[in-house]
Each structure stands twice: as C-alpha cells, then as structure tokens.
Amino acid sequence: MVGQAYKEAAAHLGKAIELADKLAATAPSTTSASSRLHLQSSYGQALHWAEGFGAPATAAAFARARELAGQVEDPSERFSAYWGIWGGHLNRSEPAPMRQMAELFLREAAAQPNCPEALVGHRVSGHTCF
C-alpha cells in the first residue's frame, strides 16, 4: 500500500516537472531554478521509495536534479540531489563515484558556517570511507 502511494506521488511529480519544464521554456522568468530543483529532488525521493535507489529511473531523476543544482546559487539547496546520487552509487557498489559525491557534499557543507547539512556530509563521508 505504501509503495503504491510513492508510485502515485512520483507520477504526479513527473507531471509537475513536465509542466515546469514547458513553462521554463516559454517564460523563463516565471519558474525559478530553485523550484524546479525542489520538484526534481522530490521526484527522485518518491522514486527511491517506490523503485529503490538502484533503479535506473531513480538515478536519472537525481542526475537531472544535479544538473538543475548547478543553476542554484544556494549550496544548501543542492544537498538533496547530492545525497540521492551518493545513495545510488552506494546501492550499486560504485566506490569511486560514491567518494566523489561524498567529497563534494562535505566540501560544500563545510564551506558554509553553521550548516546543518555538514552533519550529513560527515556521515556520508564516513560511510564512504568505511
């Protein structure tokens, strides 16, 4: 039952992303990169719970979130995308890209004073080293 709810959420988020992409193509000033990144990261999270981190659709959703994260100035908005990509590499047993994502996550979190995501960055980095 819970899995079905995540599948439905992913379907709705997918439709919202399509609409946001169309709107961004026709009227770029009306949709912020931050809003689109939030939608994409939420879509990746829904797919993570519906299909698993190792699913190709989940990996693609977080890869797209990372692309959008490059357009956002606030690093704290990028962490959800980084965590999703890192989790996919963890589940597929890909140590080199996992290490790269952990280093990126920790570097960006540590660069911000009093960043709560730094705790997650340290956890991700420690788990990667383990």
Side-chain angles (χ1 to χ4, degrees), residues 28-59:
S29 62
T30 59
T31 58
S32 70
S34 178
S35 297
R36 293 176 64 218
L37 173 58
H38 182 72
L39 270 176
Q40 190 68 42
S41 293
S42 297
Y43 178 60
Q45 291 297 331
L47 287 173
H48 160 235
W49 289 106
E51 299 182 20
F53 257 135
T58 306

Side-chain angles (χ1 to χ4, degrees), residues 13-14 16-25 28 31-44 59-82 85 101 104 108:
L13 287 162
I17 289 167
E18 286 179 29
L19 292 172
D21 287 346
K22 287 179 185 175
L23 187 59
T31 58
S32 70
S34 178
S35 297
R36 293 176 64 218
L37 173 58
H38 182 72
L39 270 176
Q40 190 68 42
S41 293
S42 297
Y43 178 60
F62 281 117
R64 177 70 178 129
R66 185 174 183 189
E67 288 174 22
L68 292 170
Q71 301 170 12
V72 175
E73 300 217 9
D74 183 2
S76 67
E77 294 188 31
R78 300 182 197 141
F79 295 134
S80 181
Y82 295 166
I85 293 169
M101 287 310 303
L104 177 61
E108 287 200 14

Side-chain angles (χ1 to χ4, degrees), residues 54-124:
T58 306
F62 281 117
R64 177 70 178 129
R66 185 174 183 189
E67 288 174 22
L68 292 170
Q71 301 170 12
V72 175
E73 300 217 9
D74 183 2
S76 67
E77 294 188 31
R78 300 182 197 141
F79 295 134
S80 181
Y82 295 166
W83 183 82
I85 293 169
W86 176 84
H89 292 309
L90 172 68
N91 281 284
R92 290 187 301 275
S93 299
E94 301 169 339
M98 199 168 97
R99 195 168 26 259
Q100 291 171 347
M101 287 310 303
E103 289 170 359
L104 177 61
F105 195 123
L106 188 57
R107 183 175 56 246
E108 287 200 14
Q112 294 190 51
N114 301 318
C115 178
E117 288 87 357
L119 295 171
V120 179
H122 283 286
R123 178 178 174 247
V124 163

